Amino acid sequence: MVMIIQTQAARLGAAFAPERLCSRHLLRMLRPCSVHFLHRSSIHTKRKLHGAITPEKLVVPQTFIHDYFSANTSIDRGWVKNGVMAALSSIAEQPSTRSHSVHELILVEDRVKEGESSLSEQQADAEVLDIPATLSTTEDLPHRRRKRLEAISTGSEPAIPPDASSQLATAATNLPSSASIRRSVATYLSLSKPRLSFLIVLTSTAAYSLYPIPDILTTTASLASATTLSASTLTLAYLTTGTFLSSASANTLNMLFEPKYDALMTRTRNRPLVRKLVTPTAASLFAFTTGTAGLSLLYLGTNPTVAALSAFNIFLYAGIYTPLKRASVLNTWVGAIVGAIPPLMGWAAAAGQSATAEHHSWQDLLFTEEALGGWLLAGLLFAWQFPHFNALSHSIKDEYRNAGYRMLAWTNPAMNGRVALRYSFLLFPICAGLCWAGVVNNGFLALSTVCNIWISREAYRFWAKGGAGGSARGLFWASIWSLPLLMVGGLICKKGVWGGVLDRSISHDEEEEYEEEQMRDRSADVGMNNSSDDAITVAFLNKRPLGSRERLLNTVQI
């Protein structure tokens, strides 16, 4: 009992501060403790030894708790003594820097004594004496932010999440066994690398839509009969479907050739062939079926040149790029060529719509002055892939090294940054070339300059910091956002679209004026010698029926 009274007195002495007291709380503290409180505290101390004599109940010591009972916080914070400025600074003060209550100190002390805290006794003493320094730890931060801060503090980059194929394969395994059809669809869709295939379809359709067609919004009857739009809905459907199926075939072959190496990387170890969700025979059959169907649709729905480009891209990706990844760093340049061919396919598909019977060969579609825009779009995709992939590979360079893939991110990190910076600068003249070639108007030049400045700035940080300090992640996301902005901006700023809308409104006004002039000339040619002629002319102009007197005069005159 004496020990309890001494403990309470010690806590009361620690909490006793004259400047923190008011009259009501002073009287409350001077009031003697009841026997019930002492008896309850005695039982509470024996509960640990004799195993819960009384039911568990939170016992709060009857000591002065400043933050809860204080009725005059302005005196405590010095508002009266120091004036309004002290009040404003106290309000703006962060919660982690304010003085903590005695109640918090008591709770921390009890946790340490009961063994609930994992800190040592020295750390517990430091926690009691200096709580503000320990409350603002990374434990209170969100999960992703805490992981990022821990990775930056250790000098490493946070690992990127699994790719779309791995995520789809994991989702397929989580489906119930009764949903066999959905599991099969998700598994085979994961073989196609859906995100990559969607990006390839996006670039090909954007190039198809950017192909310049003269007088696209002409309303004159004579020109409208001679003008055909390149944006054929059926041709676009053939191009989109055939490109996606061809990309799915190439990606499936890529997974077939390297399942044991994909198992060594966190990003790809959940792919369907690694987890044996699909047999190699079934995957080979899927690659053959999608490749054959895709090339057939491109051949029949667009033209043979587009189908040949797609077949060459499948061979280049699966037959050259995939084995070259373990042999030389030149695989990055070969992969960039693979990504640059789809825009050329879309351009050739649009050019084939306006080609004549005499000029429809692959030379006419790819190696003429009109094909310059397609090559510039291919160059845009070629240059964009280096800052994008170099930033991506830097985040998983250790996994590339363990899997045996020769990437600049770990073989030559300095060159990895220089290549990303060099090709980000190359985006400026390519976008300016699209304006010079007449594919887009000057609005695209302004929009592309903003996007290219952004990606070049991140590429410079990536090169200067060697990928550290979050610069690799910044460059990766800048590349992710800049490509859709450039593609959509090109469609909005296509040359002749907005001019065609204005020409359409102006030509409509000119047609109305021309019809009025024709009507006036026609009325001037009609003789107006008498009133009957005038009435006939007026009726003709006003398009109203003649009256009985006017019909009688007309009959007599005739």
Side-chain angles (χ1 to χ4, degrees), residues 373-386:
W375 287 102
L376 287 173
L377 289 173
L380 177 66
L381 265 295
F382 179 83
W384 171 85
Q385 289 178 82
F386 288 95

Side-chain angles (χ1 to χ4, degrees), residues 198-213 230-231 235-236 239-240 243 306 309 339-353 365-366 370-381 434 439-440 483 486-491 494:
F198 176 76
L199 178 62
I200 291 174
V201 171
L202 173 66
T203 56
S204 61
T205 54
Y208 178 82
S209 303
L210 282 173
Y211 184 81
I213 298 298
S230 70
T235 304
L236 182 62
L239 175 65
T240 303
T243 302
V306 179
L309 287 173
I341 290 179
L344 206 57
M345 292 168 52
W347 191 272
Q353 294 295 298
L365 299 180
L366 298 178
E370 289 78 13
L372 179 60
W375 287 102
L376 287 173
L377 289 173
L380 177 66
L381 265 295
L434 288 172
V439 179
V440 291
L483 183 63
L486 290 175
M487 294 290 103
V488 175
L491 295 175
K494 181 179 179 180

Side-chain angles (χ1 to χ4, degrees), residues 208-286:
Y208 178 82
S209 303
L210 282 173
Y211 184 81
I213 298 298
D215 302 325
I216 189 172
L217 294 177
T218 303
T219 56
T220 306
S222 60
L223 293 179
S225 61
T227 303
T228 57
L229 299 179
S230 70
S232 171
T233 305
L234 185 59
T235 304
L236 182 62
Y238 276 114
L239 175 65
T240 303
T241 309
T243 302
F244 183 85
L245 292 176
S246 300
S247 176
S249 175
N251 292 327
T252 304
L253 291 174
N254 173 264
M255 293 187 190
L256 272 170
F257 295 155
E258 49 186 18
K260 62 179 181 180
Y261 306 118
D262 287 341
L264 301 176
M265 300 179 62
T266 305
R267 182 169 171 264
T268 58
R269 64 187 178 188
N270 288 326
R271 285 179 173 177
L273 284 169
V274 178
R275 302 183 64 175
K276 301 185 184 304
L277 301 178
V278 181
T279 62
T281 303
S284 302
L285 182 61
F286 177 76

Side-chain angles (χ1 to χ4, degrees), residues 220-432:
T220 306
S222 60
L223 293 179
S225 61
T227 303
T228 57
L229 299 179
S230 70
S232 171
T233 305
L234 185 59
T235 304
L236 182 62
Y238 276 114
L239 175 65
T240 303
T241 309
T243 302
F244 183 85
L245 292 176
S246 300
S247 176
S249 175
N251 292 327
T252 304
L253 291 174
N254 173 264
M255 293 187 190
L256 272 170
F257 295 155
E258 49 186 18
K260 62 179 181 180
Y261 306 118
D262 287 341
L264 301 176
M265 300 179 62
T266 305
R267 182 169 171 264
T268 58
R269 64 187 178 188
N270 288 326
R271 285 179 173 177
L273 284 169
V274 178
R275 302 183 64 175
K276 301 185 184 304
L277 301 178
V278 181
T279 62
T281 303
S284 302
L285 182 61
F286 177 76
F288 176 78
T289 304
T290 53
T292 305
L295 295 178
S296 301
L297 289 175
L298 292 176
Y299 182 86
L300 298 174
T302 57
N303 53 69
T305 303
V306 179
L309 287 173
S310 181
F312 174 71
N313 217 18
I314 295 175
F315 167 75
L316 191 63
Y317 184 72
I320 304 298
Y321 169 74
T322 300
L324 193 62
K325 288 195 297 183
R326 300 181 56 81
S328 173
V329 295
L330 294 177
N331 67 84
T332 306
W333 278 263
V334 176
I337 296 175
V338 173
I341 290 179
L344 206 57
M345 292 168 52
W347 191 272
Q353 294 295 298
S354 57
T356 61
E358 295 81 10
H359 301 86
H360 65 280
S361 63
W362 61 273
Q363 296 93 337
D364 297 324
L365 299 180
L366 298 178
F367 298 102
T368 57
E369 185 179 354
E370 289 78 13
L372 179 60
W375 287 102
L376 287 173
L377 289 173
L380 177 66
L381 265 295
F382 179 83
W384 171 85
Q385 289 178 82
F386 288 95
H388 171 73
F389 180 75
N390 288 14
L392 172 66
S393 61
H394 175 83
S395 303
I396 52 176
K397 57 183 178 182
D398 294 332
E399 295 189 1
Y400 275 128
R401 182 191 296 113
N402 296 334
Y405 294 132
R406 300 193 60 83
M407 302 295 174
L408 284 175
W410 68 271
T411 58
N412 194 342
M415 185 178 178
N416 188 55
R418 289 197 306 270
V419 169
L421 181 62
R422 185 183 307 148
Y423 282 96
S424 64
F425 288 156
L426 188 59
L427 294 173
F428 288 95
I430 293 176
C431 293

Side-chain angles (χ1 to χ4, degrees), residues 162 164-175 190 270-272 275 277:
S165 298
S166 300
Q167 294 177 7
L168 269 176
T170 304
T173 56
N174 293 332
L175 289 174
S190 64
N270 288 326
R271 285 179 173 177
R275 302 183 64 175
L277 301 178

